[in-house]
Amino acid sequence: MAAGAGGAALGRAALAAPLVLLYYGFSIGITFYNKWLMKSFPFPLLVTLLHLLLIFALAALARALARCRSGRPRAALSWADCLRRAAPAALSTSLDIGLSNWSFLYVTVSLYTMTKSSAILFILLFSLLFKLEEMRVTLLLVVLLIAGGLFMFTYKSTQFNAQGFILVLCASFLGGIRWTLTQILMQKAELGLQNPIDIMFHLQPLMFLGLFPLFAVFEGLPLSISEKLFRFHEAGMLFSLVGKLFLGGILAFGLGFSEFLLVSRTSSLTLSIAGIFKEICILFLATHLLGDRLSLLNWLGFAVCLSGISLHVVLKAVNSKGDKTLEPHKEANSDPDLELLLHHTEHGDKEEEDVETPQQ
C-alpha cells in the first residue's frame, strides 16, 4: 500500500515537472516580452487586441484539428448565450490584460509582479463580501500580510510610479473577478466549456469588443498619426513589428493554455505553489537583467507578501484534505480532447480538483 502510494506520488511529480516548466516559460517570457515591446511600441491596448485576434485564430485551429481527429463536434455557444453567460468573464479578462500591459509603460517588472500578486487579496475580500468564506483569524492574517507586504514594497521605492501602480492595482482587482467568473463558467457542465481551448475560443471575440472602446479613446488618435504603424519608411521595420506582435500572441496563447493545463493535469495547489516560485524568479531576473533597484525594505515587503500567499495556499490545502475525508473519493477520466491536442499517450484517471485562481 505504501509502495503504491509512493509510486503514485512520484508519477504525479514526474507529470507536474514538465508542466510547471512550460508554465514558467510562457508566464515569465510574456512578462519580460511586454516590458521589452512597450519600449519600442507604446500602444499596449492595440497590442492586446492583436493578441486576442491571434489567440482566437489559434484556438479555432486547435478545435478544428481536434474535431478532425475525434470526429466529434465541438462545444458551440450562440452569440446570445455568449453575451448572457460569458460577457462578464470576457470583459473582466480583457480589462485585466489590457491594464496590465498598459502599466508596463510606467512601472518596472518588479513593481508589476509584486502588485499583481495582490489579486489574492481581492479574491479573499470578494469571498468575504459574498459570504463565500467565513471571517477567520487566519484569513485576516493572510489579508494583513499581503497588504502589509505590498505597502512595504512600494514605500519610498526609488522606481515607484503612481499612475502605473494604480493601473496594476486595478488589473489585480479585475483579475480577482476574472478568475472567479471563469471558474464558474468552466464548472457549468451544460455549456461544455471545460476544455481550455473551447473557453478561449468563445471568450476572445467578446474580449475584443469589450476592450476596443478603451483603445479607440486612448490610443486611436495617437496611433493614427504615428509612424510606428501607418507611416513606415522601410518595409523591414513593418515586418519586424509584425514578427514581434506574432511572438507575443504565441506567448499569450501558450500562457492561457498552460495555466488551465497545469490545473487539469495536476491540481490547483500545484499552480498556486508554482506561482509563488515564479514571482521569485521574475524578481531575481528583473534585478539582474533589467537593473530594477530594490531596497532592503522592498525585499522584506516582498517576503512578507509571499508569506501571506504561502499561508493562504497551505490553508487551502489543509481545507481540501479535510473535505476529502468527509466525502467519497471521486474519479474523473482524462479529457479525451486534451489527449488529442497534446498527443498524450496515457489515458489513466486523474483526481478531480476544484479550479483555484491562477496568477498571470
Side-chain angles (χ1 to χ4, degrees):
M1 180 71 71
L10 289 175
R12 287 192 296 270
L15 173 63
L19 296 181
V20 169
L21 292 177
L22 184 68
Y23 165 67
Y24 276 11
F26 284 119
S27 183
I28 296 175
I30 200 170
T31 299
F32 285 91
Y33 162 85
N34 284 330
K35 183 62 178 178
W36 166 73
L37 183 64
M38 290 305 109
K39 293 180 180 179
S40 59
F41 191 74
F43 299 100
L45 300 180
L46 174 63
V47 169
T48 306
L49 290 176
L50 295 176
H51 286 174
L52 294 178
L53 292 177
L54 183 55
I55 292 172
F56 175 75
L58 292 174
L61 177 61
R63 279 164 55 93
L65 292 175
R67 184 171 59 247
C68 291
R69 291 288 301 274
S70 66
R72 297 192 306 273
R74 306 294 307 173
L77 299 182
S78 65
W79 271 103
D81 285 336
C82 282
L83 289 173
R84 187 174 66 254
R85 302 192 179 199
L91 181 61
S92 59
T93 301
S94 63
L95 291 176
D96 175 16
I97 298 172
L99 295 181
S100 295
N101 290 342
W102 197 351
S103 71
F104 278 115
L105 291 176
Y106 309 103
V107 302
T108 61
V109 169
S110 55
L111 180 58
Y112 167 83
T113 301
M114 180 65 185
T115 310
K116 206 71 167 74
S117 67
S118 65
I120 292 181
L121 179 63
F122 292 111
I123 295 168
L124 293 176
L125 293 177
F126 281 130
S127 299
L128 292 174
L129 181 63
F130 292 106
K131 301 186 184 303
L132 299 176
E133 293 267 5
E134 295 181 0
M135 175 58 74
R136 302 187 302 273
V137 175
T138 51
L139 196 60
L140 182 61
L141 180 60
V142 168
V143 171
L144 291 177
L145 285 173
I146 296 176
L150 183 61
F151 175 78
M152 293 169 63
F153 190 87
T154 56
Y155 182 71
K156 291 186 178 181
S157 174
T158 57
Q159 295 175 301
F160 180 78
N161 181 284
Q163 183 177 355
F165 176 72
I166 292 174
L167 285 172
V168 187
L169 206 59
C170 290
S172 299
F173 174 82
L174 290 164
I177 301 175
R178 164 195 180 182
W179 284 110
T180 302
L181 295 177
T182 302
Q183 175 183 345
I184 295 173
L185 199 61
M186 293 185 70
Q187 289 177 345
K188 290 183 177 179
E190 69 273 13
L191 298 180
L193 298 182
Q194 288 78 18
N195 189 300
I197 294 295
D198 292 327
I199 198 167
M200 283 193 285
F201 174 81
H202 285 88
L203 286 185
Q204 304 312 304
L206 296 176
M207 291 168 62
F208 185 94
L209 295 176
L211 191 62
F212 188 83
L214 197 65
F215 157 75
V217 171
F218 289 98
E219 293 184 2
L221 181 59
L223 184 66
S224 65
I225 60 175
S226 173
E227 66 178 20
K228 294 288 186 181
L229 191 63
F230 292 110
R231 296 169 55 193
F232 274 98
H233 301 296
E234 297 180 9
M237 295 175 61
L238 178 60
F239 290 131
S240 175
L241 176 61
V242 171
K244 291 177 182 178
L245 294 175
F246 185 80
L247 172 62
I250 296 295
L251 290 173
F253 177 83
L255 174 60
F257 187 66
S258 63
E259 285 177 334
F260 287 114
L261 179 63
L262 186 59
V263 171
S264 64
R265 290 290 179 170
T266 55
S267 70
S268 57
L269 178 62
T270 301
L271 181 60
S272 299
I273 296 174
I276 294 173
F277 287 99
K278 181 203 71 177
E279 292 176 353
I280 297 174
C281 293
I282 289 178
L283 253 68
F284 178 81
L285 291 173
T287 54
H288 286 75
L289 298 181
L290 301 181
D292 289 6
R293 298 187 299 274
L294 300 178
S295 66
L296 180 61
L297 182 62
N298 297 150
W299 280 111
L300 183 58
F302 178 66
V304 171
C305 186
L306 279 189
S307 65
I309 297 173
S310 302
L311 176 60
H312 172 68
V313 171
V314 170
L315 292 175
K316 294 293 288 186
V318 171
N319 291 337
S320 177
K321 288 182 179 179
D323 293 340
K324 288 178 182 178
T325 59
L326 297 176
E327 298 179 0
H329 184 70
K330 299 179 181 179
E331 294 289 334
N333 290 327
S334 299
D335 188 339
D337 297 324
L338 279 177
E339 300 287 350
L340 289 170
L341 288 171
L342 301 170
H343 305 288
H344 202 277
T345 57
E346 293 183 359
H347 295 275
D349 294 337
K350 70 181 181 65
E351 185 175 340
E352 187 175 55
E353 298 282 350
D354 292 328
V355 178
E356 188 177 302
T357 304
Q359 297 176 359
Q360 187 180 12

